[in-house]
Structures are given as C-alpha cells and as structure tokens.
Amino acid sequence: EEVIGRTVLELGLWENLADRTRVLEQLRTGQPVIGLESQLRTRTGEQREMIYSAELIEIGGEPCTLGLLLDVTERKRSDAALREAQANYRAIVENAVEGIFQTTPDGRFLTANPAMARILGYDSPEELVAERTDIARQGYVNSEHREAFKQLMAEHGAVFGFEYEVRRKDGTRRWVSENARAVRDPNGTLLYYEGTMEDITERKRAEEARQR
C-alpha cells in the first residue's frame, strides 16, 4: 500500500539510474530484460544488491512493465566472504615453509605448493605434478617405506611424523617427515592422500653425528 501509485523514481529505488535507462530502452524494443544485476536503495537508505527481470505487457490497452525483483545481497556477501577466504587459504599454502600436497593412491601428485616443489628439487609445483607420476619408484629411496605408509593409512587413516628418505629430481637424497591423512568419499572409497612434508635432513645428520 505504501508503494502503489508512486513512481520508481519517486521512491528512489534505482541506485544506478543508467541501469533503469537501459532497462527501459531494451523493453521498448520488445526484448525482455533477464537477470540484470544492479543495486536498489531501500526506504531507510540501505543499498541492496538485486537481480531484475522484466518484460513489457499491456493491461487494458496500456503498456505496463511486469517485473521480478530478487534481493541477492546476502548471497553476494557470502560469495565475497568465500572468495576472501579462498584467497587467504591460497596465500597460506603458497607461502608455507612446509610442503603441502595431495597425491593419488597409485602415486601421482594432484596438487603441491612451492615449498613441496623445492623440497623435491623442482622449479615449480606445475613441474613437480607433471614429472613425478610414480612416487613409489621416483620418490622413495626404500620402497618398503612406501608400503609401510600405505599400510598405516589403511589401518589408521593417517600418519604423523612418518620419516623416510626421499629422492629429489637430481637424484640426491633428503630425509623428510610427513604428516598425512586419507581422504575418502561418503562410501568409504579412498580418493587421495593429503598432508604436509618437512625436510629434516640436517636434523638427521646432527643425530648421526651425536651417535658417532
């Protein structure tokens, strides 16, 4: 009742009058407006995000705009918050000092961060993912460690502080410590492993020196 009989401009609904002009021009050509994203101003002055669709019809021989207005402000805010969270997560992963990875059960890298590439002697995560396609053969100095890793995953679903010797791209060896977990689908099927890796070579050498 408060809005009937008043014009859209009088109510000050359109935050961007250029959008309203485009809507009117398009409707005059006989083309409907579908899914226009714009902003409106509420009675209290709050700006809200909206999706607007409309078509030109006749009522009693008079042209009339039949429109649908959908308030998507909260969705937009949620999307923005999600994008910010994703950006923060990417920044953490990209700048982490520990290697972060996802690998398939058959030994292929799905994802890796720059630290993971450096630990294994690659110039970039992309190079690591492309070239290291068989972790058991290319990565583990001792193949028994790979079998032990998979056995622990099958029994417990995770490993913590799993130490083994790894072979880098140039063939040199480094000791690493790995924390990882098995990721499964709702039916319990193993999808991939994900976790972190730390180079502990210097610590190992110090331990050996103390023992000697």
Side-chain angles (χ1 to χ4, degrees):
E1 290 76 8
E2 292 183 76
V3 299
I4 292 175
R6 302 174 67 185
T7 69
V8 172
L9 294 179
E10 180 186 355
L11 293 169
L13 294 181
W14 285 88
E15 178 70 13
N16 187 343
L17 293 179
D19 285 344
R20 173 167 170 76
T21 300
R22 283 201 303 272
V23 165
L24 293 175
E25 290 176 350
Q26 184 167 331
L27 290 176
R28 290 191 184 105
T29 66
Q31 298 296 318
V33 174
I34 301 175
L36 171 70
E37 294 190 11
S38 188
Q39 297 79 37
L40 62 81
R41 185 73 60 176
T42 69
R43 177 181 178 180
T44 61
E46 179 187 4
Q47 181 178 301
R48 306 288 292 181
E49 299 290 331
M50 68 172 178
I51 292 180
Y52 181 74
S53 298
E55 62 178 327
L56 199 61
I57 63 173
E58 285 191 2
I59 298 180
E62 294 292 328
C64 179
T65 302
L66 175 64
L68 172 67
L69 190 65
L70 180 63
D71 187 334
V72 293
T73 307
E74 300 308 321
R75 192 194 76 188
K76 288 277 188 177
R77 289 173 180 170
S78 297
D79 290 345
L82 178 60
R83 286 193 298 272
E84 181 179 358
Q86 290 173 334
N88 291 337
Y89 174 77
R90 283 194 298 271
I92 291 171
V93 171
E94 292 296 312
N95 297 308
V97 295
E98 289 186 329
I100 300 174
F101 66 88
Q102 290 179 329
T103 60
T104 64
D106 62 357
R108 291 179 295 105
F109 273 93
L110 295 173
T111 62
N113 71 336
M116 190 72 189
R118 288 193 297 270
I119 290 172
L120 297 179
Y122 291 87
D123 293 331
S124 68
E126 293 75 19
E127 183 187 17
L128 169 61
V129 171
E131 294 188 10
R132 186 148 293 196
T133 56
D134 187 345
I135 293 173
R137 179 177 59 83
Q138 297 171 289
Y140 282 77
V141 172
N142 186 339
S143 61
E144 293 180 359
H145 286 154
R146 178 63 176 178
E147 294 305 315
F149 172 86
K150 295 175 72 173
Q151 183 66 30
L152 288 170
M153 281 294 190
E155 293 177 0
H156 306 291
V159 298
F160 301 97
F162 184 78
E163 298 182 1
Y164 64 97
E165 202 172 8
V166 69
R167 185 176 290 105
R168 302 175 84 233
K169 177 185 177 181
D170 61 4
T172 57
R173 300 178 179 184
R174 305 289 291 182
W175 277 94
V176 297
S177 177
E178 189 170 311
N179 299 322
R181 72 183 187 101
V183 178
R184 302 179 181 274
D185 67 14
N187 297 321
T189 302
L190 178 62
L191 300 177
Y192 55 87
Y193 304 127
E194 67 178 13
T196 62
M197 177 183 288
E198 178 186 4
D199 188 332
I200 60 169
T201 305
E202 300 309 318
R203 192 192 79 193
K204 280 287 188 179
R205 288 173 178 171
E207 290 174 354
E208 292 173 358
R210 282 196 300 270
Q211 290 172 0
R212 286 196 299 271

